[in-house]
Amino acid sequence: MRQILVTSALPYANGHIHIGHLVEYLQTDIWVRFQKMMGNRCLYICADDTHGTAITIRAQAEGRSEEALIAEMSEAHQRDFAGFGIEFDNYGSTNSEESRAVCHEIWAALREADMVVEQEIDQLFDIEKGVFLADRFVRGTCPNPECGSKNQPGDNCDKCNATYTPAELIDPVSTMSGSTPEIRTAKHLFVQIEKLHDFLTEWTQSGTLPTESANYLNNFFLTEPLKDWDISRPGPYFGFEIPDSPGNYWYVWFDAPIGYIGSTRQWCDSNGENIDDWWKSDLTEIHHFIGKDIQYFHTLFWPSMLKKSGYNLPTKVHIHGFLTVDGEKMSKSRGTFIQASKYLEHLDPSYLRYYYANRLSSKVEDLDFNPEEFAAKINSDLVGKVVNLASRTAKFVQEVGLSPAYPDDGGLFETFSARGADIAAAYEATDYSKAMRMIMELADQANPFVESNAPWELRKDPDKAQQLQDVCTVALNLFRTLAIYLAPVLPELAKKTGELFDEELTSWDQAQTPLTARPIAKFKHMMQRVDPKHIDAMIEESKEEAPKADQAIPGNWEDSGDALAADPIADEISIDDFLKTDLRVARIIEANEVPEARKLVQLTLSLGGDETRNVFAGIKAAYQPEDLVGRLVVMVANLAPRTMKFGVSEGMIIASGPGGKDLFLLSPDDGAAPGQRVG
């Protein structure tokens, strides 16, 4: 029996769980359930990641303490996870005394190993908010001269994988206020991971990581020394104060992975176990499941901390890609940014568990959620092939039960049981798509058996009662075997199957022996077909609607004169002056952020046919780019082009309002067409 400790990356306590997050937690839960069915002792540990500036800002905005905020979010996270059948052995918090104690322990070990240095560094400071900016709150242009990608975060570029400090970004912008931050000097503490260069090179290339990730990390070792890791932040900061550096706090990425150990310690204290048996024993395997966006932290910084403090290194780091919906990033405006709780209002969680399993492999690949394929896959595989075996046969043997001896089935059950080893190997390798493929291949063999023997016809002839019982015994045993193989993915189906046979499906080995001479319970509905209307409703309700203007009462508008008083009417002009301005209807066919600009959005406007104009509009505070595409606007079409540092602006769109968030685009009524003159 193996002893295995499994973790998923800790969800941040500043937001709710959505279907993108669930890729990781469902992938992990499936693997843990499989290990337990194989008879291994497997512990699934998680916690909320609770520290950092974002927590403080949200708590202040909501008028409550950080502790109250993270307590509410922990409850919401655990409720959402439970709704999808994700079972943790312990769900803790990085803001716990257990985690604080481990932070102190690991910090002392790093100090003793002489791996910590102090440096004065330039750090970005948001003047409007009055705080130093964490990496995640800065966007700008990648400083790598060979890259220069725009809208990159403050720690590493997702285009070229370069790492840097926020102060090194070109044209940085605070995502908290939209303002340009200023550089201020602050004392920071760094861990010199370059001292572990040889160890990290060997460990990352040892087979612990997926091949794609090992190759990605090898680039860091081959090009230049590993950069010192900045692990402190000056106050005010919500987190643990560093004991030997008053006024400084451990950066959230220092204590986040330590939360794995802190949460394990909570479980050990509650269950009379020794933490060293799980984190310092050669008998324990440690498996991390993470997304590819945080592999740098988990495969360079985290093993450095573990190595120097005497904790076990991960046996395996399983890394997955991102979720897209219909081939695009999740979008609130399109309704594809779907919260876990919203999904549960409309659809069976078993559907998503199976759909993800069908697309998850051991490779670091993105996976796509396509609503049409989603419905078709569930209806075809689970309802049409698997559950159908039981629904078409169980009722015929409800009174007599299964045959006294297992009938001759032409070798079907033997084939099913023999396939178990290959399916188990696919689960072990997290190649769930391969496992699902093999299971459905078995289902494709079982259904023709039922079709050819037609139990619904046999039941009409009393002389064929034994044949009917035998056919149903075979079909139900094949169904039961499929349910066992699917149990890590579909625990609810396994539970209902167990109720049908009056047993619990808890062991992989149960698939090796057919059941005979056993009563069959009354068949209960196990799974419904996916109704596309439910998917449509979920997506529609997930859309973030634009604020609706207050409805005025005709004849009683009571319009204020404040706007006119603040901006009086300009000097009088002649009709000839006005006619010099060529106003046209235009359609926005593309809209993009200009990260290095505080107010601008880049628009591509169509005037009809092939005529387009590039325009930079100062509407960033009022509109999200994705909400603008397709909208009709009025533009000044004959304005002389203006060269800006971001590009050439070939016109101007018309809006009203004082500016900032109080800005309103003027749009023509329905029926207007791009290219039409306004006036």
Side-chain angles (χ1 to χ4, degrees):
M1 179 180 69
R2 295 157 62 190
Q3 178 163 298
I4 310 170
L5 188 143
V6 181
T7 72
S8 296
L10 311 186
Y12 197 47
N14 196 37
H16 289 280
I17 303 301
H18 55 68
I19 62 171
H21 292 129
L22 289 172
V23 171
E24 179 170 312
Y25 301 96
L26 289 176
Q27 180 190 37
T28 315
D29 184 75
I30 290 169
W31 199 77
V32 169
R33 288 179 179 273
F34 166 72
Q35 295 297 340
K36 291 180 177 180
M37 288 190 73
M38 296 300 289
N40 296 318
R41 191 179 190 208
C42 190
L43 198 64
Y44 187 8
I45 295 294
C46 200
D48 267 351
D49 180 7
T50 59
H51 290 154
T53 307
I55 300 295
T56 297
I57 294 209
R58 178 179 167 187
Q60 290 176 347
E62 297 175 0
R64 53 178 169 165
S65 68
E66 291 95 340
E67 288 79 7
L69 169 62
I70 62 179
E72 178 187 298
M73 291 308 302
S74 177
E75 182 179 346
H77 286 175
Q78 293 185 67
R79 182 173 58 248
D80 288 343
F81 287 137
F84 282 87
I86 298 167
E87 294 185 347
F88 303 104
D89 290 283
N90 195 76
Y91 195 91
S93 167
T94 57
N95 194 48
S96 69
E97 288 307 311
E98 292 86 355
S99 284
R100 186 197 299 268
V102 182
C103 284
H104 281 239
E105 178 188 351
I106 291 179
W107 181 249
L110 293 173
R111 283 286 201 186
E112 185 177 352
D114 195 28
M115 291 190 64
V116 180
V117 294
E118 183 179 301
Q119 299 176 23
E120 292 283 340
I121 71 162
D122 292 334
Q123 189 173 356
L124 295 181
F125 186 84
D126 189 316
I127 303 172
E128 293 186 16
K129 295 293 183 180
V131 295
F132 284 101
L133 292 170
D135 300 349
R136 71 180 73 184
F137 294 109
V138 186
R139 308 290 289 192
T141 300
C142 173
N144 179 1
E146 297 180 359
C147 178
S149 296
K150 301 181 184 303
N151 195 29
Q152 295 305 310
D155 52 0
N156 69 287
C157 176
D158 60 18
K159 300 296 183 183
C160 71
N161 296 320
T163 58
Y164 41 74
T165 67
E168 292 176 302
L169 279 173
I170 299 171
D171 298 323
V173 175
S174 167
T175 62
M176 294 170 60
S177 66
S179 65
T180 300
E182 71 176 26
I183 295 178
R184 293 189 179 180
T185 301
K187 181 179 72 175
H188 281 233
L189 298 169
F190 291 77
V191 175
Q192 298 176 304
I193 62 172
E194 171 60 21
K195 290 186 174 183
L196 296 176
H197 189 288
D198 292 342
F199 155 71
L200 290 170
T201 302
E202 180 181 354
W203 183 78
T204 58
Q205 306 303 309
S206 65
T208 303
L209 313 179
T211 302
E212 303 95 320
S213 298
N215 292 339
Y216 156 70
L217 289 167
N218 201 37
N219 294 327
F220 292 99
F221 302 121
L222 294 176
T223 54
E224 56 187 29
L226 296 170
K227 292 184 178 180
D228 293 347
W229 177 32
D230 184 354
I231 55 79
S232 72
R233 295 294 183 269
Y237 189 83
F238 182 59
F240 295 144
E241 189 172 21
I242 301 174
D244 54 10
S245 184
N248 284 308
Y249 295 76
W250 281 305
Y251 173 45
V252 63
W253 264 113
F254 179 83
D255 65 36
I258 288 175
Y260 300 146
I261 303 177
S263 186
T264 308
R265 179 172 285 184
Q266 281 186 342
W267 181 86
C268 288
D269 291 345
S270 299
N271 290 274
E273 297 259 351
N274 187 334
I275 185 71
D276 289 350
D277 291 339
W278 290 95
W279 279 97
K280 293 187 177 181
S281 170
D282 292 339
L283 300 178
T284 301
E285 301 175 28
I286 295 177
H287 291 253
H288 293 316
F289 285 77
I290 62 170
K292 65 181 181 181
D293 55 326
I294 58 173
Q295 59 185 326
Y296 188 86
F297 299 99
H298 276 79
T299 58
L300 292 181
F301 302 150
W302 180 229
S304 297
M305 296 161 64
L306 295 172
K307 176 71 172 177
K308 284 301 177 182
S309 55
Y311 283 97
N312 283 5
L313 293 163
T315 308
K316 197 81 174 177
V317 182
H318 308 269
I319 303 174
H320 62 82
F322 299 140
L323 178 73
T324 58
V325 180
D326 272 338
E328 299 180 354
K329 287 184 178 181
M330 293 189 297
S331 165
K332 292 181 180 179
S333 63
R334 293 194 302 271
T336 57
F337 193 95
I338 301 167
Q339 301 284 10
S341 56
K342 179 58 65 178
Y343 176 100
L344 291 171
E345 290 177 13
H346 295 276
L347 296 167
D348 187 336
S350 295
Y351 299 162
L352 197 68
R353 291 182 68 100
Y354 181 73
Y355 186 81
Y356 281 177
N358 258 281
R359 279 153 175 74
L360 281 165
S361 72
S362 57
K363 296 180 179 179
V364 186
E365 297 176 329
D366 294 347
L367 63 157
D368 186 60
F369 177 88
N370 180 289
E372 292 183 1
E373 291 180 4
F374 171 83
K377 194 68 177 170
I378 301 305
N379 293 341
S380 171
D381 288 2
L382 298 186
V383 179
K385 295 181 181 180
V386 178
V387 173
N388 201 36
L389 287 170
S391 64
R392 300 173 83 187
T393 58
K395 58 188 175 183
F396 299 136
V397 289
Q398 185 180 324
E399 295 182 3
V400 298
L402 300 179
S403 299
Y406 189 74
D408 180 9
D409 64 2
L412 274 175
F413 188 85
E414 183 179 354
T415 298
F416 273 47
S417 60
R419 200 67 166 138
D422 293 333
I423 296 171
Y427 271 121
E428 176 67 37
T430 65
D431 197 349
Y432 303 156
S433 59
K434 181 178 180 181
M436 298 306 102
R437 204 161 50 244
M438 289 189 285
I439 293 170
M440 288 307 133
E441 287 172 357
L442 294 176
D444 286 337
Q445 296 180 50
N447 280 282
F449 172 84
V450 176
E451 289 288 343
S452 61
N453 284 280
W456 48 90
E457 296 295 335
L458 294 175
R459 69 184 295 268
K460 298 177 183 178
D461 188 345
D463 294 335
K464 295 182 178 180
Q466 185 58 55
Q467 185 180 351
L468 173 63
Q469 186 183 27
D470 288 348
V471 168
C472 293
T473 296
V474 170
L476 288 171
N477 269 286
L478 297 180
F479 163 72
R480 172 178 171 269
T481 303
L482 294 175
I484 292 170
Y485 291 159
L486 286 167
V489 178
L490 302 174
E492 189 61 27
L493 178 63
K495 178 183 176 182
K496 292 178 179 178
T497 302
E499 292 171 352
L500 183 66
F501 292 98
D502 191 24
E503 65 170 346
E504 288 188 39
L505 301 183
T506 58
S507 170
W508 197 258
D509 290 341
Q510 287 174 275
Q512 299 300 307
T513 306
L515 297 180
T516 55
R518 179 181 290 260
I520 295 298
K522 183 178 180 180
F523 181 80
K524 297 179 181 179
H525 193 75
M526 292 186 172
M527 187 171 291
Q528 293 182 334
R529 295 177 64 84
V530 179
D531 186 342
K533 293 180 181 178
H534 294 159
I535 300 177
D536 294 341
M538 175 183 69
I539 292 175
E540 188 62 31
E541 291 176 21
S542 296
K543 291 180 180 178
E544 282 198 354
E545 296 183 0
K548 295 181 179 179
D550 293 335
Q551 297 297 317
I553 302 173
N556 187 30
W557 294 290
E558 297 182 355
D559 292 330
S560 167
D562 294 345
L564 186 60
D567 189 7
I569 295 174
D571 294 340
E572 184 178 280
I573 64 172
S574 69
I575 187 64
D576 292 333
D577 291 328
F578 173 74
L579 292 176
K580 291 179 182 179
T581 304
D582 191 351
L583 300 178
R584 299 280 177 159
V585 175
R587 187 183 302 280
I588 301 174
I589 59 173
E590 185 177 342
N592 298 294
E593 289 189 9
V594 184
E596 62 270 36
R598 188 156 57 93
K599 298 180 179 180
L600 298 180
V601 174
Q602 181 272 322
L603 305 174
T604 302
L605 305 179
S606 170
L607 290 163
D610 297 328
E611 185 72 19
T612 61
R613 299 290 176 85
N614 184 69
V615 171
F616 289 95
I619 58 174
K620 190 171 188 175
Y623 294 93
Q624 294 295 320
E626 61 265 27
D627 297 331
L628 295 170
V629 176
R631 180 169 180 165
L632 291 177
V633 294
V634 177
M635 75 168 296
V636 182
N638 64 335
L639 194 65
R642 178 188 175 194
T643 301
M644 310 171 71
K645 73 174 183 176
F646 319 110
V648 178
S649 187
E650 302 171 313
M652 177 186 295
I653 59 173
I654 306 299
S656 66
K661 293 183 179 179
D662 296 322
L663 198 64
F664 311 96
L665 291 177
L666 302 187
S667 300
D669 284 344
D670 291 342
Q676 288 179 343
R677 183 184 289 274
V678 178

